[in-house]
Amino acid sequence: MSSSRLFTLFSAAALVGLQFLPTVTSHVAMWHPSMWGFNVTEQTFPYDNRPVSPLINYTFEQWWFHGHLDHPPNDGDIFQLPAGQAATTELGCNKGATTFFASSEGGDIRNASNPNDVCPGSQPDEYHTRGFDDLTGCALAIAYNSDATQVKPEDFTVFSVNQTCVWTRFTDFQVPARMPACPPGGCTCAWFWIHSPDSGGEQNYMNGFKCNVTGSTSSVALATPKVPRRCGADSANGKWHASPGNCTYGAKQPFYWFQAEDNNMFEGTYAPPFYTDLYGFKDGQQDDIFEDSYSFLPDPSPTAPLPVLNTTEPILLG
Ligand SMILES: *[C@@H]1O[C@H](CO)[C@@H](O)[C@H](O)[C@H]1NC(C)=O
Ligand SMILES: *[C@@H]1O[C@H](CO)[C@@H](O)[C@H](O)[C@H]1NC(C)=O
Ligand SMILES: *[C@@H]1O[C@H](CO)[C@@H](O)[C@H](O)[C@H]1NC(C)=O
Ligand SMILES: *[C@@H]1O[C@H](CO)[C@@H](O)[C@H](O)[C@H]1NC(C)=O
Ligand SMILES: *[C@@H]1O[C@H](CO)[C@@H](O)[C@H](O)[C@H]1NC(C)=O
Ligand SMILES: *[C@@H]1O[C@H](CO)[C@@H](O)[C@H](O)[C@H]1NC(C)=O
Ligand SMILES: *[C@@H]1O[C@H](CO)[C@@H](O)[C@H](O)[C@H]1NC(C)=O
């Protein structure tokens, strides 16, 4: 991050949030007992590795699952993903701002007059957005493997996006109707977020959690996920028109960006990748991630023809 940006971030925090800084923190995590790192505090690691801490320039071991693979959820704590329905997550800058405050060091800091407050006591700048128009989306990804230690970055497929993340504590993610059942021990999931460059330094967020698809009616597997590509209109970077042939269609991996190792995205400081149309991620459930989703799926490029959806697949509306 440039020093002027650093200055902007810190002076903004000083101006708007100083009186609250001792009790709150400025970043966001998805909180649920099914997550890895549920009880990790500022003291657990030699550095601040709470689930809300941003991941920047980290080694693979540090950023993958937030470095929390040795802090698994308790047996039986599983996040349910009902096929064709919404799953509600809780996002907060502190566990105390969520339903799970009882095991938070600071206790209950929820805002009684606004249950959807992501970060009671702080301005949106402190959770990296200048306002509703500055939201960049977040994503849930899944790997059909119950053993998180065996999951590799290229195994995760983004199955749902909420483009208005992280505006509200309760954030819904639509689950595609055609999600197949998980293996016997369940699946492995993760929440991902990259915020706007207008609101602080370049950072990745990742929280892994144990998940399971319920109410499944399809057995068609997910396609092998590919790396997403920048293809939407991008006026902030002087690109006025979308380039639809340039999108990756179908199953896509999450963004692994700005770490010291194992990135799949190499965008610069001021042009981060987002879970929005900019990278071909529609708002809501990703219905085209299955092996049979397309009857024609060319390699993407600015001049590539558009893919064709397989219209003979059973239509299950989510
Ligand atoms: C990442 O860390 C390395 C080693 O600590 C350092 O040399 C490099 O400048 C850092 N890069 C960024 C972008 O912070
Ligand atoms: C987290 O802490 C709470 C309260 O101490 C405890 O009941 C729970 O089992 C812990 N969960 C994990 C995954 O360690
Ligand atoms: C709680 O939410 C209300 C309504 O949005 C807001 O006016 C108030 O400042 C919030 N309180 C805190 C401590 O953030
Ligand atoms: C995103 O989450 C908000 C808050 O829960 C919800 O109102 C909205 O419908 C969600 N968007 C999608 C596409 O599901
Ligand atoms: C996952 O959900 C399916 C369908 O409800 C259920 O049969 C299975 O036992 C669940 N798996 C786990 C690990 O809870
Ligand atoms: C196409 O996608 C690549 C990879 O994300 C990107 O570098 C390039 O700028 C994009 N080109 C256009 C015209 O959108
Ligand atoms: C299209 O979907 C049907 C029904 O699932 C399937 O039999 C067929 O193989 C699919 N076509 C392609 C090209 O995947």
Side-chain angles (χ1 to χ4, degrees), residues 1 56-57 202 258 260:
M1 142 180 3
I56 320 164
N57 200 21
E202 52 288 335
F258 239 88

Side-chain angles (χ1 to χ4, degrees), residues 33 35 38-39 72-74 77 95 102-103:
M35 73 195 281
F38 184 62
N39 286 337
N74 291 328
D77 280 334
K95 196 173 16 171
S103 58

Side-chain angles (χ1 to χ4, degrees), residues 88 116 161-165 168 170-174 283-285:
T88 302
N116 252 325
V161 160
N162 190 306
Q163 292 188 351
T164 48
C165 193
T168 52
F170 293 104
T171 296
D172 284 353
F173 286 91
Q174 312 301 321
D283 201 12
Q285 76 276 12

